[in-house]
Amino acid sequence: SLDFLSEQFRTFIMNQVKNGLNGNGNGNGNGMDINMGRGGMLGFLVKYVEMEMGGNSTTVEERMWRAAYYALRCGDLDCLKEVLMGSNVGVDEKLMRCVQEACQSQGGSGIEKLIHVTQDVVDGVVELYRRVESRNLGLCNVTVGDGYFDSAKDYQLAVLGLLSFIPQESSAVQKTSEDYIFMGLWNGIRADAECKENVCALADNIKHYGPAHFEDGVEQSRDGWVYSMLLLLCQQIKSGVGYLAGKGPDGMCIAVHLGLALAEEGISLSDLTKNEDSSDVRDEDLASLVTVFAKSLQSASPAVALDYLICTPGSTKTGIDTKNGRPLSKIGLNQICRLVLDTKAFQVLGGTMATDGSRLASGALDKYFGNRQVSEILAYVAEQSMREGKVADAAELLSLAGRYSDLMSVLNRQLSSLLVTDDVNERRFWKGAAEQFLNTYLANGQTHVIQVLEKERNLSLGNTFQMLLNLMTFFDRCNENQWQSAWELVDNLHLIPTSERDISSKVEYFSSLSTPVQQVFHHILSRAMQSLFEQHSQLKSDQGSIRQGPNSGAGGFEQRLYEVRIRARVLATYSGLIPLSCGVDFKASIGRMEAYMV
């Protein structure tokens, strides 16, 4: 935070000087004609003090202390050293010793160098501070010009106080909220044992005054950034990001990007507290922000919403990694699942199907994942869709996922459940979808779908699928009173024994049938018996009409009636030998129809 505030102030000084030079016609406006000095900022600070003081009657001492304070405010101890050494004002030896020792420290920023100064040297600066403070008591800081103080003591005390880590809560040199935070943080991190407590106390002050105090009249405060920045600088990450998120769409956008950037750097979305464990927030808090933001985007662009959900943090991983190795969290997977189901943008997100049943990697998910990972995600979404009762969506997602064994199982269950139903529209939809799937992916040679089923040794699912489609047609013909045509179709499926000698083999064959067929087998037998019954009734009716004619064909009718009776008796016997999912009414119905034909 201190490095940020230092760099921010450094940039401010340089821009002010450059703009001032350009506006006055002095120099080229880019600051290149300023003597930078060893510290890099000396020339800019000297010029800035001149511009700041203008024509005010000030002493060389005050200009020097202003420049010295600004050097510290920039976090630049080398520049401070040059300011003090280049001044005509006598500088106390204790002060110079402190600055020189700090500058000799290896690496780090200004505050990090200063921490390594020995305590006896710091104590010398403390003594200087107390001496200047005692002389300054009772003095009135008379303002001149544009509100600037004509006393050098305020800046002198600020410099001495910063170098000796003496808190200065009401220093006259604090002109902005950033100055206040800078001094509070600087003085707060001197001792590790007190650092957390001091920073938390500073944060409590910021929260006590609230956003209205800091944002009043500030044009940039509309998106919440002014107050949020102060919270962030005080290590109140959760509060700062949360405040941004509550400032409308723009604030939410900034909050999400900031939260993700912090998470990428390993910074927890939590507030520093005085407790031993300050991590009072989990990944779910940032995940919640990302989810809300992505949801606001999904109606306009599901693909853009996905861009954010990919980054959703979470401690539980799925084993699914992006192309660049980022693990997809469980929270992220669940939110992607919701995105797909809520928008139904299956092709936009998951790609499209080729004519052979393979998936074309043209979806937004393909931007981040390989084919295998996309398949896993789509299969996961399909499972959730099934749990929510959205079977049609699940079927489409399974086809995109290339999970054809699972898809065939879903289709088979649906066809089986709709063989006997009053929902005509639902039955028509699934029969049409099944026929289209059959004609596109199963009836045209060695397609990708067939290859997958062969590889997984599930070709039997395809056989069941085609059987159920034929049974659909069988039931359609029964409903249309096409009894003979219906019987011929079901007889050709070889589900029902043709004779008493065939019963045992058909009983054995029944046990090999898939569950979707076995579950509705009592309906199949019932309709098959009904078709025999209706044919028998029609034959009896036709036989009566023909007997009244001059050329009776009664012999042919008797033979046909006999064949129908035999098949009915075999069917009735067979139905009593296999385990069926039905009640006693079924067996009674079979028995009545068979008895009628005797």
Side-chain angles (χ1 to χ4, degrees), residues 16-274:
Q16 288 293 103
V17 171
K18 292 175 183 178
N19 292 336
L21 291 174
N22 189 47
N24 295 328
N26 298 324
N28 56 20
N30 60 15
M32 295 301 293
D33 55 344
I34 293 178
N35 177 19
M36 299 291 287
R38 181 186 172 191
M41 280 296 294
L42 178 61
F44 280 102
L45 291 182
V46 171
K47 191 66 180 179
Y48 178 74
V49 171
E50 290 179 2
M51 293 169 57
E52 184 181 44
M53 301 309 297
N56 294 329
S57 177
T58 57
T59 64
V60 174
E61 181 183 10
E62 181 172 358
R63 291 176 181 267
M64 186 271 287
W65 286 117
R66 280 180 182 268
Y69 166 71
Y70 293 148
L72 277 176
R73 184 65 176 79
C74 291
D76 195 335
L77 287 174
D78 289 320
C79 185
L80 170 62
K81 179 181 176 181
E82 292 198 29
V83 169
L84 297 178
M85 292 181 64
S87 173
N88 295 326
V89 178
V91 178
D92 193 285
E93 180 183 349
K94 296 176 181 178
L95 174 58
M96 285 304 305
R97 182 183 174 190
C98 176
V99 175
Q100 288 174 340
E101 187 170 320
C103 291
Q104 290 171 0
S105 299
Q106 296 297 319
S109 60
I111 185 69
E112 292 171 317
K113 290 182 177 181
L114 196 59
I115 289 175
H116 295 96
V117 175
T118 54
Q119 187 59 47
D120 63 319
V121 174
V122 174
D123 290 341
V125 180
V126 171
E127 181 185 342
L128 284 176
Y129 180 90
R130 298 305 181 197
R131 192 189 312 162
V132 175
E133 182 184 37
S134 64
R135 292 203 306 266
N136 202 40
L137 291 176
L139 294 177
C140 294
N141 291 324
V142 181
T143 59
V144 296
D146 192 17
Y148 296 108
F149 297 87
D150 65 352
S151 173
K153 298 298 184 293
D154 294 301
Y155 288 96
Q156 185 179 7
L157 284 172
V159 171
L160 296 174
L162 288 171
L163 291 175
S164 58
F165 298 98
I166 297 176
Q168 303 170 73
E169 295 183 1
S170 59
S171 174
V173 303
Q174 298 175 14
K175 300 183 178 69
T176 65
S177 301
E178 287 82 359
D179 292 337
Y180 172 73
I181 297 293
F182 180 87
M183 281 198 168
L185 290 175
W186 183 290
N187 292 316
I189 64 175
R190 168 61 173 170
D192 291 339
E194 301 174 356
C195 176
K196 182 184 292 188
E197 184 175 346
N198 292 334
V199 175
C200 288
L202 181 62
D204 289 342
N205 283 339
I206 295 296
K207 292 179 178 180
H208 171 73
Y209 286 110
H213 177 80
F214 298 100
E215 294 183 342
D216 185 30
V218 180
E219 183 179 354
Q220 296 86 353
S221 65
R222 289 192 301 271
D223 57 12
W225 186 247
V226 173
Y227 183 64
S228 176
M229 177 58 72
L230 299 180
L231 292 172
L232 294 172
L233 291 170
C234 295
Q235 310 305 302
Q236 304 300 293
I237 310 300
K238 177 184 176 182
S239 297
V241 173
Y243 181 73
L244 278 173
K247 297 293 286 185
D250 290 344
M252 172 62 79
C253 181
I254 297 173
V256 169
H257 286 86
L258 176 60
L260 290 174
L262 291 171
E264 191 70 22
E265 295 298 321
I267 300 175
S268 172
L269 194 68
S270 61
D271 286 350
L272 179 68
T273 67
K274 297 177 183 178

Side-chain angles (χ1 to χ4, degrees), residues 301-319:
S301 176
V304 172
L306 176 67
D307 291 339
Y308 289 92
L309 294 179
I310 292 294
C311 304
T312 307
S315 56
T316 304
K317 306 306 177 185
T318 59

Side-chain angles (χ1 to χ4, degrees), residues 583-593:
V584 294
D585 291 344
F586 163 76
K587 293 182 179 180
S589 174
I590 290 290
R592 283 195 302 270
M593 286 188 285

